[in-house]
Amino acid sequence: MAEPEWESLEQCLEKHLPPTDLREVKRLLYGKETRKLDLPSQALECAAEGDFELQGYAFEAAEEQLRGPRTVRVGLVQNRIPLPAEAPVAKQVSALHRRIEAIVEVAAMCGVNIICFQEAWTMPFAFCTREKLPWTEFAESAEDGPTTRFCQKLAKKHNMVVVSPILERDGAHGDVLWNTAVVISNSGAVLGKTRKNHIPRVGDFNERVHVADRGQERGHRQPLLHLRHQPRGQAHKDFGYFYGSSYVAAPDSSRTPGLSRTRDGLLVAELNLNLCRQVNDVWNFKMTGRYDMYARELAEAVQPDYRPHIVRE
Amino acid sequence: MAEPEWESLEQCLEKHLPPTDLREVKRLLYGKETRKLDLPSQALECAAEGDFELQGYAFEAAEEQLRGPRTVRVGLVQNRIPLPAEAPVAKQVSALHRRIEAIVEVAAMCGVNIICFQEAWTMPFAFCTREKLPWTEFAESAEDGPTTRFCQKLAKKHNMVVVSPILERDGAHGDVLWNTAVVISNSGAVLGKTRKNHIPRVGDFNERVHVADRGQERGHRQPLLHLRHQPRGQAHKDFGYFYGSSYVAAPDSSRTPGLSRTRDGLLVAELNLNLCRQVNDVWNFKMTGRYDMYARELAEAVQPDYRPHIVRE
């Protein structure tokens, strides 16, 4: 476990490495350098007052002749729980709503088009416990629960798409629980949802106690976003810091630095969606890949009577 | 491109970071620390005389009650071409055989059980060129070409399994070329071969000019090895250093440091194969994963009339 003052890998490298070495190390670890965004001073002031980190980076794509740049700003939020995990459920949820509301105000100042909250953002990260209550009380309807309604208001107010990962309670199918990301359009409409379909079980960390994983529903896929979002709420004292830190990665394998591992934060990333097809055309994986063979081999490998091919002398 | 004196990421971090920061950075980048192997002094002297790097690390597994440790030492070789790429083909190949022979002597001193050479190790790394001759003359039969016969002698002499990746010429099927790894048992028998089945095409870097990729043959799979081996020969002046550097990664996501990006080298890694099932049992991916669903979805996605599901308002 890092010492309390250890904020992030980047800060450590920046503190100790001479500039030329730092440039080479960053090139190896992060790929092509992302440009720092010039964010409005009002946003930076609000973030400082609200005690959260604010960083912004841009991924750039080559200029094309027939398509203009298709620029989108994505915001990633990471946050601790404002109230202790022992507080009443409704109070915890509304404290989180208020905290997120303040961070989204700053995202709006930064011109964010799509805002993404962390996994199960309305609750302490409780998947590592085996208690059922009160954690299951944090589950809500993805279509019209209080958190979705809250996000719909945010979406309309700021003309922003909201990706809102919650613990879902599916009343139509026997009240089962899902680990679900709800996607709300900038119009305020619920566009769809995606359910986590592989729920890991690692030691005492057992999402399976709470969450069904019988398969993603068709017709509820999340729109394409090139994101990785890993922070976790600080539910238990012994959990310590965030599990990882938020960053954005692009299809050319470059990535932004990460937010702090200890503080709340908002990471703004400007993407030019043209980069997707540009990288595709350079690497051609979809043209050269053997997806038909992989589909066939995987279909064989999941058969109950499958035997791996092992050569013995 | 790094400056000439820039040997590796690890050396740079070790030079500049204070010990506690170094430990935390290494934990984040490399996972659980690997133990340095105590290699015989004779081996270290021979490596110094032969002007190649020698490093050794051990991955450890927990002790089990019913199984003893199953320890294997793997050696990874990375090497430049000893002669210029313009030299006669036969001379280049035999110079490479001699160079590798010397490195394998040192591997034997270090108790290596499985030795792995780099991709297309008997030739300059020519896949980035479009010329056909003389590169195609480096292709050999996987079953009884001069390089396989050379490796069979090495295997018997040192009681060592040899993984020998070559450019294969398949005379039985119209003289096609393959990017193939030949696996030779410690008895000297050719156990099998595995052919690279996804040949990328990236800009001017076009393996497809040389190498067929119509599918891996069944019955010729490589035995399970948890390795990544990335170095490339230094075929052209403008290529500069190795493309990456050799390292070994374990199923618990720990990895060894990498060899130098500029020098020939031998990396010895001691593995306890018990770690595979131990990690498996902790993460349970094969128990919790939805491979049946992935097989079904991938089979759908490769259909010519497949349409991705995109929700529009």
Side-chain angles (χ1 to χ4, degrees), chain A residues 8-33:
Chain A
S8 73
L9 180 61
E10 293 79 25
Q11 282 187 25
C12 173
L13 298 177
E14 273 158 20
K15 188 170 157 195
H16 295 294
L17 297 186
T20 48
D21 287 293
L22 180 64
R23 207 160 34 239
E24 179 64 3
V25 166
K26 282 191 158 179
R27 189 186 68 79
L28 288 171
L29 296 178
Y30 296 151
K32 191 182 151 194
E33 200 174 348

Side-chain angles (χ1 to χ4, degrees), chain A residues 2 6 9 12-13 16-18 21 24-25 27-29 185 187 189 191 197-199 201-203 208 213-216 218-219 221 261 282-285 287-295 297-300 302 309 311 313, chain B residues 2 6 9 12-13 16-18 21 24-25 27-29 185 187 189 191 197-199 201-203 208 213-216 218-219 221 261 282-285 287-295 297-300 302 309 311 313:
Chain A
W6 219 86
L9 180 61
C12 173
L13 298 177
H16 295 294
L17 297 186
D21 287 293
E24 179 64 3
V25 166
R27 189 186 68 79
L28 288 171
L29 296 178
S185 167
S187 72
L191 261 189
N197 62 60
H198 180 179
I199 304 289
R201 186 182 75 72
V202 185
R208 268 178 183 258
D213 64 343
R214 294 159 314 156
Q216 194 181 32
R218 288 198 66 82
R221 302 270 182 77
R261 292 174 65 234
V282 171
W283 284 94
N284 275 301
F285 282 144
M287 197 164 81
T288 56
R290 310 295 307 278
Y291 302 107
D292 52 343
M293 188 176 79
Y294 307 150
E297 302 232 335
L298 190 52
E300 278 174 34
V302 297
H309 183 84
V311 180
E313 228 179 334
Chain B
W6 220 86
L9 179 62
C12 172
L13 298 177
H16 296 293
L17 298 186
D21 287 295
E24 180 64 4
V25 166
R27 189 187 69 80
L28 288 171
L29 296 179
S185 167
S187 71
L191 262 189
N197 63 57
H198 179 178
I199 304 288
R201 187 182 76 70
V202 186
R208 270 182 182 256
D213 65 343
R214 293 159 315 156
Q216 195 181 32
R218 287 198 68 81
R221 301 269 181 79
R261 293 174 64 235
V282 171
W283 285 93
N284 275 301
F285 282 145
M287 197 164 81
T288 55
R290 311 294 309 277
Y291 301 108
D292 53 342
M293 187 176 80
Y294 308 151
E297 300 233 335
L298 190 52
E300 277 175 35
V302 296
H309 183 83
V311 180
E313 231 180 333

Side-chain angles (χ1 to χ4, degrees), chain B residues 18 57 84 105 166-169 176-177 224 232 259 285 287 307 311:
Chain B
Y57 301 94
E105 287 287 338
I166 58 167
L167 184 61
E168 180 193 1
R169 169 83 70 189
V176 289
L177 299 168
L224 298 170
R232 298 290 188 275
L259 289 179
F285 282 145
M287 197 164 81
R307 282 173 185 276
V311 180

Side-chain angles (χ1 to χ4, degrees), chain B residues 20-37:
Chain B
T20 48
D21 287 295
L22 181 64
R23 207 159 36 238
E24 180 64 4
V25 166
K26 281 192 159 178
R27 189 187 69 80
L28 288 171
L29 296 179
Y30 296 152
K32 192 181 150 195
E33 200 174 345
T34 46
R35 177 171 56 83
K36 268 207 164 174
L37 280 180

Side-chain angles (χ1 to χ4, degrees), chain B residues 66-85:
Chain B
L66 302 181
R67 298 193 301 186
R70 296 182 300 147
T71 304
V72 172
R73 285 203 178 182
V74 175
L76 263 57
V77 179
Q78 68 177 35
N79 60 281
R80 289 164 300 175
I81 48 172
L83 297 184

Side-chain angles (χ1 to χ4, degrees), chain A residues 96-302:
Chain A
L96 274 158
H97 284 191
R98 282 196 304 274
R99 178 64 171 157
I100 289 298
E101 194 167 23
I103 296 177
V104 173
E105 287 286 338
V106 172
M109 292 173 200
C110 297
V112 162
N113 307 104
I114 305 174
I115 188 87
C116 305
F117 306 143
Q118 69 192 13
E119 187 174 16
W121 72 271
T122 62
M123 60 186 293
F125 193 75
F127 297 134
C128 48
T129 69
R130 288 179 193 269
E131 303 90 341
K132 300 258 178 180
L133 281 170
W135 313 127
T136 51
E137 291 200 71
F138 284 91
E140 303 181 25
S141 157
E143 284 70 27
D144 56 10
T147 293
T148 294
R149 288 201 306 273
F150 165 78
C151 291
Q152 290 177 299
K153 268 185 225 151
L154 282 184
K156 272 195 272 200
K157 178 175 179 193
H158 297 300
N159 187 32
M160 218 182 260
V161 172
V162 179
V163 179
S164 168
I166 58 167
L167 184 61
E168 180 193 1
R169 169 83 72 189
D170 181 359
H173 295 89
D175 264 351
V176 289
L177 299 168
W178 296 89
N179 186 340
T180 300
V182 185
V183 181
I184 293 139
S185 167
N186 56 324
S187 72
V190 176
L191 261 189
K193 63 186 175 188
T194 180
R195 288 164 168 176
K196 194 165 168 179
N197 62 60
H198 180 179
I199 304 289
R201 186 182 75 72
V202 185
D204 278 344
F205 185 101
N206 192 356
E207 281 191 53
R208 268 178 183 258
V209 171
H210 302 280
V211 182
D213 64 343
R214 294 159 314 156
Q216 194 181 32
E217 290 182 5
R218 288 198 66 82
H220 293 282
R221 302 270 182 77
Q222 198 162 353
L224 297 170
L225 272 182
H226 285 278
L227 295 179
R228 287 185 61 182
H229 193 197
Q230 306 189 311
R232 299 291 187 274
Q234 189 170 16
H236 304 278
K237 278 184 210 114
D238 54 31
F239 232 57
Y241 305 134
F242 288 114
Y243 184 75
S245 68
S246 304
Y247 65 91
V248 178
D252 64 355
S253 84
S254 62
R255 53 156 284 188
T256 69
L259 288 179
S260 158
R261 292 174 65 234
T262 59
R263 294 183 65 203
D264 287 7
L266 168 65
L267 177 66
V268 178
E270 185 177 294
L271 321 172
N272 180 346
L273 296 177
N274 286 356
L275 186 63
C276 296
R277 200 172 77 183
Q278 288 174 13
V279 171
N280 211 32
D281 284 351
V282 171
W283 284 94
N284 275 301
F285 282 144
K286 283 158 204 152
M287 197 164 81
T288 56
R290 310 295 307 278
Y291 302 107
D292 52 343
M293 188 176 79
Y294 307 150
R296 211 165 53 234
E297 302 232 335
L298 190 52
E300 278 174 34
V302 297

